[in-house]
Every structure is written in C-alpha cells, then in structure tokens.
Amino acid sequence: MRYLSTLPEYKLIFLLAQTNLTPAQLQDAQVLINSTLSWEIFFKESCFLGISPLLYYNLNRIPEASKIIPPEIYSRFKVNYNFNIAQNLRLWTEFLYIKNQFNNTGINPIPLKGLVFMHNLYAKFDQRQLIDIDILIKETEISSCIDKLIQLGYEKEKSVSWQYREKYHCHLPLFNPRKKIILELHWAFAPPRPEKVDLTEVWQRTRIQEMDNQPVLSLSLEDTLLSLCLNI
C-alpha cells in the first residue's frame, strides 16, 4: 500500500475519494491531473473500488479536467456515472415499493448499507454506487417477508438450503428475474460467532428518518457503526 500511495494514479484516487473537497485539495488534484499518469489505471482502479461515480463528480469540479483527461476515458467515466444515477433511482424506487408492501402487513423494514449511506454520507445520492438492496427485518418476520417477496416476483437462491442459511448465515439473497434486482434479506448483523448478537435493543433504538421526503425506519448512528464493524 505504501508503494501504491506514491504513484500519481493512486494519489489522485485517494484525494478524490472524498465527499467534501476543500479548495486546497482541488488545487492538489489539479496538479496531479496535469502530471504524467496512466488514465487507464486510474479508471480501472476506480471501477474496481466502486468509486468511479464519486471520482467523476469530483473531476468535474476541477477546471479544465475534461479537456486534460483522454476523451475515451472521460466518456467511460460519464457512462458509468449516468448508469449509476439510473441504477440508484431504480433500486431506491424498488426499496420504497417493497417497504410499502411490507408496511401493509405490519412489517417495518430497515434499509442497510448503500441505501442509507447514499442519503446520509454523500452530498448527492448519485455519488454512491449501489449493487443491490439490503433490508433488515426481525427474525420472527422472516417467513412472512419471504412469502411477500415471492408474491412480488422474487426467487430464493437455490444453491444453498434455507436450513443452512438460517444456521450459519444472517441473510438470504433473493433475485427478481424480471427486474434484474438482487435483494438481501437480513435478520442479524452477523452470523453466530459462536453466540448470536441480540438485536432487541437495536430495534428499540430505531428512529424515523426522512429520506428523499419519505419516512423510513432507520438504525441509530451507533448501531449503524456496529453493523459495519461486524461486517468487515
């Protein structure tokens, strides 16, 4: 990592992988952009790290960046960025639809990971790259939620038995073949190690948060951090 941090491509990645760049940091980025670096490496690494939308957003804040970056690289960044906007809107809309369907049966799901971070940690929702939908439910609601999701067109993963998932895992992946959406249904923060983490108090600390003008049940900040630590 120390070697990589000395390369201009990685220096620029580390610098631009922030949501609130200062004027001084933007000037440093301008210097790096004008230096000799491999734009192909820069692009591929940003995609590998899942941060190309954020980097593209910040690159556009730097004067003349679009004229310095090779056109084919800039175009690929732009395509990724626009795709990410569409993907995020699609997944967020699907989450709200599922949330409403669950609410109609008395179930209040909690969004996890990217769905939350794109609203809470990023200046704009299009800066965070989403791959799937992660939802936390109570363990007693698993069967009801699976039945409802199947009604909505989702299918359970068939390669691993439900009994194995329930005993050794803490989530169940489902896939909607028509919408091409992956949804992970969580009932715990982590699998037993060897004891289960009791989420009773976690549910008691939940709060209603406005996300995109929608009331959404959310984890407390402390429990959000806990869930991240247990998934590293």
Side-chain angles (χ1 to χ4, degrees), residues 30 122 132:
Q30 179 76 67
Y122 289 78
D132 56 13

PDB file of all heavy atoms in Angstrom, residues 30 122 132:
ATOM      1  N   GLN A  30      -5.670  19.283  -9.215  1.00  0.00           N
ATOM      2  CA  GLN A  30      -5.350  19.918 -10.496  1.00  0.00           C
ATOM      3  C   GLN A  30      -3.896  19.647 -10.877  1.00  0.00           C
ATOM      4  O   GLN A  30      -3.588  19.352 -12.039  1.00  0.00           O
ATOM      5  CB  GLN A  30      -5.593  21.420 -10.393  1.00  0.00           C
ATOM      6  CG  GLN A  30      -5.271  22.210 -11.655  1.00  0.00           C
ATOM      7  CD  GLN A  30      -6.330  22.048 -12.725  1.00  0.00           C
ATOM      8  OE1 GLN A  30      -7.448  22.492 -12.557  1.00  0.00           O
ATOM      9  NE2 GLN A  30      -5.976  21.394 -13.818  1.00  0.00           N
ATOM     10  N   TYR A 122     -23.232  11.032   1.657  1.00  0.00           N
ATOM     11  CA  TYR A 122     -22.812  11.632   0.396  1.00  0.00           C
ATOM     12  C   TYR A 122     -23.601  12.910   0.119  1.00  0.00           C
ATOM     13  O   TYR A 122     -24.786  12.999   0.437  1.00  0.00           O
ATOM     14  CB  TYR A 122     -22.998  10.646  -0.762  1.00  0.00           C
ATOM     15  CG  TYR A 122     -22.021   9.502  -0.721  1.00  0.00           C
ATOM     16  CD1 TYR A 122     -22.200   8.439   0.157  1.00  0.00           C
ATOM     17  CD2 TYR A 122     -20.888   9.486  -1.534  1.00  0.00           C
ATOM     18  CE1 TYR A 122     -21.296   7.384   0.216  1.00  0.00           C
ATOM     19  CE2 TYR A 122     -19.981   8.442  -1.480  1.00  0.00           C
ATOM     20  CZ  TYR A 122     -20.189   7.398  -0.600  1.00  0.00           C
ATOM     21  OH  TYR A 122     -19.294   6.356  -0.542  1.00  0.00           O
ATOM     22  N   ASP A 132     -27.093  -3.706  -4.914  1.00  0.00           N
ATOM     23  CA  ASP A 132     -28.305  -4.441  -4.560  1.00  0.00           C
ATOM     24  C   ASP A 132     -29.047  -3.713  -3.449  1.00  0.00           C
ATOM     25  O   ASP A 132     -28.686  -2.591  -3.072  1.00  0.00           O
ATOM     26  CB  ASP A 132     -27.959  -5.875  -4.131  1.00  0.00           C
ATOM     27  CG  ASP A 132     -26.959  -5.904  -2.970  1.00  0.00           C
ATOM     28  OD1 ASP A 132     -26.732  -4.837  -2.356  1.00  0.00           O
ATOM     29  OD2 ASP A 132     -26.416  -6.973  -2.664  1.00  0.00           O
TER      30      ASP A 132
END
